[in-house]
Amino acid sequence: MQRTFGIEEEFVLLDPHTLTAVDRAPEAIAALSGARGAVGKEFFPSQIEYASPIFTSADDALDAVWAFRRSLAAWAGAAGLVAAGTGTPFRTGPRPEISADVRYAHIADDIAGVTPDHQINGLHVHVGIPDAESGVRASNTLRVWLPTLLALSSNSPYWHGEDTGFDSWRAIHSRRWTTYGAPPFFRDAAEHEEARRALRGIGATSDPGTINWNVRLSARYPTVEVRVFDAQLDPRSSVALAAITRALVASADLSTDPQARERPSEAMDLTDAALWHAARFGVGATLVHPFSGRVLPAREVLQVLGERIRPQLVDRTERELVDELLRRAGRDGSGAARQRRAGASGLGALARLYRHELADAGNVTGLSA
């Protein structure tokens, strides 16, 4: 079965000179409302979210994602701003106001002092599932791969104008939520639903949408949602990560790995520590092997990922996108490394990187041709 998928991308609007987040998303949303897919607000009025249509092919996804990014880039250029696909803005304002929304106000009240720092942007991938039992199997399979996926997508090195030393500072921010990281291993859909009910009212978990696991079953759609990824600089990376996610979900029913079938021992479940390690180093040094738990060179773990998903990639475009992403990660590092190389030449060079990579028209059209 060729599973459907959808992509949600979050972007931040920045002042071109200081790269400080600016609250002009309502203007962008109004101007871009005719996009294929949905354009909406996020927690802060400096952020904008694009929710794609449902796709069956990477070619279709690439066309839609690129078309929206091209429109966003054109609007931002005309408005004198930089629109960036980055997990954290380079710099934030002193007293950020949240977007006008009753639900956001309730969340802000719940998370209290965490609110001003919640200026994080992610890439969320939804993959269609026939039922909740399939979703739980997919969640159990995906959970061991989450550190690798985080490292591959890491793209948020800066905060308050400084290099944090982390490749994904967004992931470190996320650890302060009531729930974070790999979901528990679930025996079946009933156990998953029991956990979701039990969490309601604990800490800042007011509804299923505030459960911040890196993988969760959607409460609204027949999908499993992967939320581990930082927002991406370029459209090819976003669609490649979606293809990898779909391939891992497709592999769930075929998996023979004990870790995907048996509840891990709490003493030996290294996933949370491996997520911190991935946030710190990205793909630039070492990663924790998803099954052995050994710390290995990142290129070796990426090779294991590539071998695992390759049989499940459905067409040439998916294979080309994924191969390109894995090859570039091994050679040049993740988006965080690209940001640092640009940032070493000053804010102007970093702004140019954000602008160029947002739509990356030449590479996208070249791949789609």
Side-chain angles (χ1 to χ4, degrees):
M1 178 181 70
Q2 186 169 335
R3 296 183 183 273
T4 58
F5 66 102
I7 295 171
E8 296 172 358
E9 291 199 281
E10 295 164 354
F11 304 93
V12 63
L13 302 176
L14 304 172
D15 177 277
H17 306 294
T18 64
L19 297 185
T20 301
V22 293
D23 294 346
R24 293 182 62 182
E27 300 170 50
I29 293 166
L32 301 170
S33 59
R36 181 185 169 206
V39 184
K41 62 188 173 184
E42 254 301 324
F43 197 66
F44 288 98
S46 58
Q47 299 171 294
I48 184 170
E49 180 185 76
Y50 169 67
S52 78
I54 297 172
F55 303 122
T56 58
S57 78
D59 279 312
D60 197 20
L62 202 56
D63 287 344
V65 167
W66 174 58
F68 174 75
R69 282 168 167 258
R70 183 175 59 178
S71 297
L72 176 59
W75 177 86
L81 301 175
V82 172
T86 178
T88 51
F90 182 82
R91 187 177 280 117
T92 63
R95 291 185 177 84
E97 297 290 332
I98 66 169
S99 296
D101 184 278
V102 172
R103 183 168 181 271
Y104 288 160
H106 183 70
I107 291 172
D109 185 61
D110 279 348
I111 65 175
V114 174
T115 298
D117 287 346
H118 192 58
Q119 301 194 53
I120 56 178
N121 309 294
L123 164 70
H124 302 163
V125 178
H126 288 260
V127 179
I129 51 174
D131 51 47
E133 296 294 345
S134 296
V136 167
R137 286 195 297 272
S139 176
N140 290 343
T141 295
L142 283 160
R143 68 186 305 280
V144 299
W145 289 104
L146 290 172
T148 308
L149 298 179
L150 172 60
L152 192 56
S153 74
S154 57
N155 185 40
S156 50
Y158 295 116
W159 185 246
H160 293 325
E162 300 288 342
D163 189 332
T164 64
F166 283 76
D167 275 19
S168 178
W169 193 240
R170 168 186 168 271
I172 300 303
H173 276 304
S174 296
R175 295 177 77 90
R176 296 188 291 179
W177 278 70
T178 309
T179 51
Y180 165 77
F185 185 100
F186 294 111
R187 181 175 57 250
D188 51 29
E191 188 175 52
H192 179 276
E193 185 56 32
E194 180 183 354
R196 193 153 60 179
R197 285 197 303 267
L199 281 166
R200 188 161 189 162
I202 296 177
T205 311
S206 55
D207 58 57
T210 52
I211 294 175
N212 200 36
W213 292 326
N214 290 162
V215 182
R216 68 186 188 187
L217 274 63
S218 174
R220 300 174 58 192
Y221 307 110
T223 65
V224 59
E225 180 186 6
V226 178
R227 303 163 53 82
V228 72
F229 307 117
D230 280 359
Q232 295 298 289
L233 288 169
D234 66 279
R236 297 184 329 282
S237 294
S238 293
V239 179
L241 290 167
I244 290 170
T245 303
R246 180 166 68 167
L248 286 170
V249 172
S251 75
D253 289 334
L254 305 175
S255 177
T256 58
D257 296 309
Q259 288 88 342
R261 296 291 184 180
E262 301 174 7
R263 191 184 305 272
S265 163
E266 289 186 9
M268 291 301 295
D269 189 357
L270 305 176
T271 311
D272 183 66
L275 280 164
W276 194 99
H277 187 97
R280 173 68 174 86
F281 301 109
V283 293
T286 57
L287 284 170
V288 179
H289 190 286
F291 302 122
S292 72
R294 294 171 58 205
V295 178
L296 298 173
R299 65 180 181 279
E300 294 185 21
V301 178
L302 294 179
Q303 182 178 353
V304 173
L305 173 64
E307 291 169 353
R308 176 57 54 94
I309 63 173
R310 190 153 282 107
Q312 303 302 326
L313 298 174
V314 300
D315 56 33
R316 187 187 71 175
T317 299
E318 282 199 354
R319 289 189 292 272
E320 289 180 352
L321 284 167
V322 171
D323 285 347
E324 178 189 6
L325 180 64
L326 294 177
R327 185 169 56 248
R328 184 172 61 184
R331 183 189 66 222
D332 302 328
S334 63
R338 291 152 69 192
Q339 288 201 47
R340 285 190 174 106
R341 284 194 294 271
S345 297
L347 294 189
L350 186 55
R352 287 192 294 275
L353 176 77
Y354 291 150
R355 286 192 176 109
H356 177 266
E357 296 288 336
L358 182 67
D360 199 6
N363 282 307
V364 173
T365 53
L367 184 58
S368 298

